[in-house]
Amino acid sequence: MQRFLTTATGRSPGDHVCWWFRGLEEYAQTAREYIREGLDSRQLVAFTKVTPTGLEHTIVSDVAQVGRPADHGRLVLNDSQVPARRMSPTSAPSEFDRMTRAAVADGYTGLRVLTDVNDLVRTPDGLRQWIRTEHLIDRYAVDHPLTILCGYDVDDVGEQTVAEAARVHPLTRGALSPFLVRAADTRGGLALVGEVDRASAANLWGALMAIGPEIPSRVTLDMSEVEFIDHSSLMAVDRAAHSLDVTVTLVGAKGLTEWLVHTLGLRHVRTDPA
Amino acid sequence: MTTTTRPEERFRHELVLHTGTDALVDLMTPFVQDGAAAGDEILVVGEPEFVDHLLAAVPGVDGIQAIPERSRERFPGRDLHRFQQSLARLDATASSVRVVNQMPTMTEHQWHEWRRYEAAANYVLAPYRVWGTCAYDTDVLDETMLEDLSASHAQLHTPAGTRSSERFADLDDHIAGYLDLPPHPIEATTPHLSLHEPSVHAARRAVQALAAALGLTDEAIQAAMLAVTETVTNGTRHGRGPVEVKAWTEGGQLTVSVTDAGSGPHPLVGLRPVPLDSPSGRGMWILHQLLSDLNHRRHRDGYTVRFSVGGAAPVIPRPVR
């Protein structure tokens, strides 16, 4: 599966995309294409703005609602009179669940969301909070008709922040990170995608620690989409597992990866006995 | 001078010189019988024919741990680690173990790694209560090899008797020059791939493509990718630039060399295990567990590590459990 994207369209239910952009004009153009595709697919389309103090949605029923950038660089929808719900950013997964169920009950094929989280992730605390939320959204989208495009203004929040967020998405615009950690199932199982070596091992550790509170004590890590992983990266997984007091079982790993796990004598990473 | 601190020395490392399988069996029979009488565990490693022959010569000795293995299946890094694991299983820090090790036949190029193995054994196996014998056929040893073996073994055992090796005291000095070797002949030929200062990612991709084009198995391709990743990473982190990567395809094998301008690692690089909590040093040890053909060479332009993958044998060994 192609996980590094060049276009925001071609999306289907379950897709969760990290989409970086430079300047609101560019994001507005992407938004129009993404929204048009959702409306054509009879999805309920919502623009969600997440700030440190709240989460608010605007239902979008017409591409013409997407206006030019204004208000100090924020993406503004022309029709902003739709009542918004204000709640904590960490409530996003349950809020998207409520909206998805309501959309399906109303005859839509699902919910398609476009987000602006730049105000929240500008601070380290906000970023940490949101990355954990991103993972829960990802887990929810595994088996629900939710399609979500998370917009990150790289000029605003910086490449490092965008890369940290990208690592917990299953789909990203371009290769923002050489690896991705995505939700593999609704029970907390994870999947690793791409390649990890010594240069990125610390980032893998960071990604696992960031979503750590959501990782179950016995977690599987699907390795079937891993193109390359070295011993330092496996040790990074082992260190994270130790810190989080969890046991990681690798499934679908290549023979060399399994051999590395056994040869290194890792204590918190195992291979699937099957 | 190369100095390596050895822990408390409990390991008796003995060189056995013989003139063929029958002579070796004759030499080792009393060694096994005496060990069994003393209550020692016995471990026998060597060609299947030799192992069978020796076991038949000591019918009254039970419980011998026998590991029959062809020469082509043995290589230094994995061999040394396997010994360590066997000794750990036999609880050789508490009880005594006698080892009969018929050394494999080896080429001149393989010898350079096996002599490092013999030196490294003194450090790796030092914590164990082991009387280890390394048996070489004198027909295949030249003067230089005998000199190396005399330096890496504390005792010499021949049909004439056992005596101490005077050169053993100079082991640290002796191994200092172990990486000062001539280039492998393939290095004088035109490589199929030549990369100047590549990123680790670029080197990995290039080697992957070359290995795939050569038709290597997926296992061999993965091994080559891991090896070039580790060696280029080491060159960048521990060596001195520029890092140069070259690769050759010959006889169904992929050979890769990674050179940097630094002074190179410790002469026993990659043969001594590194604790899990150590921040570095494990990559080369991993490669020596994986690859049968992995060599180090220090020269006037720097340091080159060279490895080969391919051929008929499976690359990835059984998991060590």
Side-chain angles (χ1 to χ4, degrees):
Chain A
M1 180 178 183
Q2 178 54 259
R3 298 197 175 274
F4 301 131
L5 310 177
T6 56
T7 172
T9 54
R11 305 280 55 85
S12 54
D15 283 1
H16 176 206
V17 184
C18 179
W19 190 267
W20 63 268
F21 58 89
R22 291 187 184 280
L24 272 293
E25 183 64 37
E26 182 191 309
Y27 195 40
Q29 181 58 36
T30 299
R32 289 188 191 94
E33 296 167 1
Y34 175 76
I35 289 169
R36 181 178 294 113
E37 183 179 69
L39 294 174
D40 289 348
S41 304
R42 294 186 296 108
Q43 293 174 317
L44 177 65
V45 179
F47 173 71
T48 300
K49 181 159 185 58
V50 186
T51 68
T53 56
L55 181 84
E56 51 189 63
H57 305 293
T58 301
I59 302 301
V60 186
S61 55
D62 191 326
V63 172
Q65 283 175 263
V66 181
R68 293 181 59 78
D71 190 15
H72 306 291
R74 290 180 185 170
L75 182 66
V76 172
L77 296 172
N78 286 340
D79 182 3
S80 57
Q81 279 75 45
V82 177
R85 293 171 61 89
R86 297 193 67 83
M87 55 202 318
S88 160
T90 55
S91 308
S94 58
E95 177 66 354
F96 289 138
D97 178 40
R98 183 193 67 77
M99 293 175 68
T100 301
R101 291 177 190 279
V104 171
D106 289 345
Y108 292 97
T109 57
L111 176 68
R112 174 170 290 222
V113 176
L114 178 77
T115 71
D116 173 1
V117 297
N118 293 292
D119 284 353
L120 176 63
V121 302
R122 213 169 277 127
T123 65
D125 280 350
L127 176 62
R128 193 160 40 245
Q129 182 183 40
W130 185 247
I131 283 178
R132 194 169 152 185
T133 303
E134 287 272 28
H135 175 64
L136 292 176
I137 293 170
D138 198 40
R139 189 183 296 177
Y140 177 77
V142 166
D143 68 347
H144 289 88
L146 170 67
T147 309
I148 183 163
L149 185 82
C150 306
Y152 289 87
D153 188 341
V154 69
D155 289 337
D156 180 358
V157 300
E159 290 183 2
Q160 175 69 23
T161 292
V162 179
E164 283 187 49
R167 287 173 199 138
V168 296
H169 286 75
L171 300 162
T172 66
R173 180 186 183 186
L176 292 165
S177 165
F179 71 86
L180 304 172
V181 177
R182 66 176 179 85
D185 56 50
T186 56
R187 302 181 304 278
L190 301 172
L192 184 62
V193 175
E195 49 187 272
V196 208
D197 60 21
R198 192 176 184 104
S200 47
N203 292 335
L204 175 58
W205 177 86
L208 292 172
M209 294 302 291
I211 62 172
E214 309 301 336
I215 297 177
S217 60
R218 299 169 74 86
V219 63
T220 57
L221 183 61
D222 189 322
M223 304 287 281
S224 54
E225 288 186 81
V226 173
E227 294 169 42
F228 178 80
I229 188 164
D230 69 352
H231 80 279
S232 61
S233 308
L234 289 168
M235 291 176 65
V237 176
D238 193 64
R239 281 198 303 277
H242 175 60
S243 299
L244 297 168
D245 196 20
V246 304
T247 300
V248 178
T249 300
L250 307 185
V251 293
K254 291 184 168 70
L256 182 59
T257 302
E258 293 187 342
W259 177 82
L260 280 171
V261 168
H262 291 294
T263 302
L264 288 166
L266 300 183
R267 299 184 185 111
H268 308 279
V269 177
R270 299 171 180 169
T271 56
D272 184 3
Chain B
M1 175 176 161
T2 302
T3 57
T4 307
T5 304
R6 273 178 259 173
E8 182 191 357
E9 289 174 30
R10 312 169 81 183
F11 174 48
R12 174 171 170 160
H13 198 193
E14 192 166 288
L15 171 65
V16 176
L17 299 174
H18 65 91
T19 53
T21 301
D22 290 344
L24 179 58
V25 170
D26 289 344
L27 266 176
M28 290 292 99
T29 296
F31 177 76
V32 170
Q33 290 170 328
D34 291 350
D40 294 349
E41 299 280 357
I42 311 289
L43 182 62
V44 177
V45 183
E47 294 284 345
E49 294 78 8
F50 164 71
V51 172
D52 288 346
H53 198 163
L54 182 59
L55 293 182
V58 289
V61 179
D62 297 326
I64 294 178
Q65 307 280 316
I67 305 179
E69 200 163 29
R70 298 285 179 203
S71 291
R72 62 175 178 274
E73 294 165 348
R74 296 177 65 179
F75 55 91
R78 196 188 294 175
D79 218 64
L80 192 52
H81 184 49
R82 191 190 55 190
F83 265 119
Q84 195 180 11
Q85 289 178 305
S86 297
L87 295 174
R89 271 198 299 275
L90 292 170
D91 194 21
T93 53
S95 56
S96 296
V97 178
R98 291 192 180 200
V99 177
V100 178
N101 183 9
Q102 183 196 32
M103 295 304 293
T105 54
M106 56 194 80
T107 65
E108 181 188 344
H109 285 290
Q110 289 169 331
W111 165 251
H112 295 136
E113 281 300 302
W114 280 108
R115 70 172 180 171
R116 292 201 317 121
Y117 159 100
E118 292 288 17
N122 294 294
Y123 306 100
V124 174
L125 305 183
Y128 301 104
R129 294 176 62 188
V130 176
W131 187 347
T133 59
C134 302
Y136 287 84
D137 190 327
T138 51
D139 282 351
V140 299
L141 297 177
D142 62 23
E143 287 275 330
T144 311
M145 294 160 95
L146 271 172
E147 194 173 309
D148 287 333
L149 290 171
S150 298
S152 57
H153 292 79
Q155 277 85 30
L156 268 62
H157 185 163
T158 67
T162 302
R163 62 180 172 84
S164 296
S165 168
E166 293 170 5
R167 297 195 64 90
F168 184 65
D170 302 327
L171 176 63
D172 284 343
D173 286 337
H174 191 80
I175 65 176
Y178 270 14
L179 304 188
D180 300 331
L181 299 170
H184 188 280
I186 203 169
E187 294 180 56
T189 65
T190 304
H192 294 86
L193 173 73
S194 184
L195 303 172
H196 176 73
E197 288 277 57
S199 68
V200 173
H201 176 81
R204 185 163 64 233
R205 287 292 185 195
V207 166
Q208 179 186 23
L210 196 58
L214 186 59
L216 296 187
T217 64
D218 187 52
E219 278 190 357
I221 295 171
Q222 289 288 319
M225 290 169 69
L226 181 69
V228 78
T229 296
E230 297 291 355
T231 50
V232 173
T233 298
N234 280 353
T236 306
R237 285 171 55 88
H238 306 302
R240 191 152 56 87
V243 172
E244 307 276 354
V245 177
K246 293 179 182 174
W248 297 261
T249 57
E250 191 175 281
Q253 276 206 323
L254 173 68
T255 300
V256 179
S257 75
V258 177
T259 299
D260 71 69
S263 56
H266 187 279
L268 300 183
V269 59
L271 293 181
R272 291 176 296 178
V274 180
L276 259 185
D277 55 0
S278 176
S280 65
R282 200 167 293 96
M284 200 56 77
W285 181 81
I286 287 284
L287 294 188
H288 274 283
Q289 301 300 306
L290 181 66
L291 301 176
S292 59
D293 186 18
L294 172 62
N295 301 268
H296 308 266
R297 184 168 73 85
R298 200 164 45 199
H299 44 88
R300 67 179 182 184
D301 298 324
Y303 161 69
T304 296
V305 56
R306 190 191 72 254
F307 62 87
S308 297
V309 295
V315 176
I316 301 171
R318 291 189 308 273
V320 176
R321 293 180 190 274

